[in-house]
């Protein structure tokens, strides 16, 4: 069914249900088929409705997801209905690495689903981190970080496959070029901090 066809079969009476679902979180074509079809037919109504609240509808038909996003408000005059979620550095690092892996996957593979095991993720993080006394501690925290990323909706556990995840394609919408650029700056500071810590530790050992 195309968007035009859907528009002919859905009425604004379905609008409250669609908007309510969006306020609760991401709507996926795969898991919310009925709401998804209603959303396609009512997308213009939804955009107009949420715009009054200072929100934008982000709808990607090809990837099969939709969510609401707060508009930029430099003056801070609008209340934030979609709260920001503060992330630890390690969770941000994991998101950045998963985004990079997805870019590599899309470039080199014809498959649609990027599947990774916990070991794959651990290897990805371990290779990236510089050698330091903190590396083992960071890797020990990996399970907690993965759990957080699952809660955020960027990793999905696969049923019947322990320790195996699908990287959700919505990650592409959240982790954009600007986000990565800002994170790269934080990463540079982090590396400098680690380097200083390691140097200080070696000097203490010699003393």
């Amino acid at each position: 069914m195309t968007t035009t066809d859907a528009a002919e079969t859905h009425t604004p009476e379905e609008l409250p249900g669609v908007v309510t679902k969006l306020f609760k979180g991401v709507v996926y074509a795969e898991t919310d088929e009925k709401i998804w079809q209603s959303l396609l037919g009512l997308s213009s109504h939804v955009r107009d409705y949420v715009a009054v609240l200072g929100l934008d509808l982000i709808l990607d038909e090809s990837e099969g997801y939709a969510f609401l996003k707060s508009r930029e408000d430099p003056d801070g005059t609008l209340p934030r209905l979609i709260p920001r979620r503060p992330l630890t550095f390690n969770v941000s690092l994991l998101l950045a690495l998963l985004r990079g892996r997805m870019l590599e996957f899309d470039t080199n593979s014809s498959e649609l689903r990027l599947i990774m095991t916990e070991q794959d993720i651990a290897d990805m993080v371990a290779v990236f981190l510089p050698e330091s006394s903190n590396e083992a501690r960071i890797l020990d925290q990996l399970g907690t970080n993965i759990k957080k990323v699952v809660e955020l909706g960027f990793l999905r556990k696969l049923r019947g496959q322990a320790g195996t995840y699908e990287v959700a394609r919505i990650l592409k919408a959240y982790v954009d070029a600007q986000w990565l650029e800002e994170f790269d700056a934080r990463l540079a500071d982090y590396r400098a901090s680690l380097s200083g810590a390691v140097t200080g530790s070696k000097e203490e050992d010699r003393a």
Side-chain angles (χ1 to χ4, degrees):
M1 180 182 292
T2 65
T3 303
T4 302
D5 293 334
E8 295 176 353
T9 59
H10 295 283
T11 62
E13 282 73 20
E14 295 173 271
L15 182 62
V18 173
V19 173
T20 299
K21 185 70 174 180
L22 284 166
F23 268 108
K24 290 182 176 180
V26 180
V27 172
Y28 292 100
E30 183 180 358
T31 57
D32 301 298
E33 185 176 353
K34 185 177 179 180
I35 290 292
W36 179 258
Q37 291 301 325
S38 296
L39 174 59
L40 293 183
L42 294 170
S43 59
S44 60
H45 293 283
V46 173
R47 292 183 194 280
D48 292 342
Y49 187 93
V50 301
V52 177
L53 303 174
L55 302 172
D56 287 323
L57 170 65
I58 309 299
L59 172 63
D60 192 320
E61 290 190 52
S62 61
E63 299 287 6
Y65 61 76
F67 61 94
L68 298 178
K69 181 179 180 181
S70 296
R71 289 184 173 178
E72 293 297 326
D73 182 27
D75 298 328
T77 57
L78 294 173
R80 178 170 289 276
L81 296 178
I82 307 298
R84 292 185 181 276
R85 297 178 177 179
L87 302 176
T88 65
F89 179 85
N90 290 335
V91 170
S92 297
L93 172 62
L94 183 53
L95 290 177
L97 294 179
L98 288 172
R99 181 66 183 92
R101 181 61 61 87
M102 177 170 282
L103 177 61
E104 178 184 341
F105 177 80
D106 287 344
T107 301
N108 300 320
S109 175
S110 60
E111 299 292 329
L112 296 177
R113 302 174 68 195
L114 172 56
I115 307 298
M116 299 184 69
T117 65
E118 288 185 357
Q119 187 60 54
D120 293 332
I121 297 173
D123 291 344
M124 178 179 67
V125 173
V127 169
F128 181 81
L129 291 173
E131 291 185 5
S132 75
S133 58
N134 293 322
E135 182 176 343
R137 179 177 60 83
I138 292 173
L139 291 178
D140 285 342
Q141 296 174 347
L142 184 61
T144 300
N145 297 334
I146 289 176
K147 182 178 179 181
K148 180 63 177 179
V149 174
V150 170
E151 292 174 356
L152 292 171
F154 299 127
L155 283 175
R156 300 178 190 164
K157 292 182 179 180
L158 295 187
R159 293 181 180 178
Q161 301 182 51
T164 305
Y165 304 86
E166 176 182 357
V167 183
R169 302 198 66 80
I170 194 173
L171 181 63
K172 295 172 62 177
Y174 277 91
V175 181
D176 55 17
Q178 180 179 354
W179 191 97
L180 288 174
E181 182 178 347
E182 293 172 353
F183 180 76
D184 283 343
R186 292 182 61 197
L187 181 58
D189 292 340
Y190 173 74
R191 281 174 164 167
S193 176
L194 275 184
S195 177
V198 173
T199 301
S201 175
K202 290 180 178 179
E203 290 177 349
E204 290 176 2
D205 291 341
R206 286 197 296 269

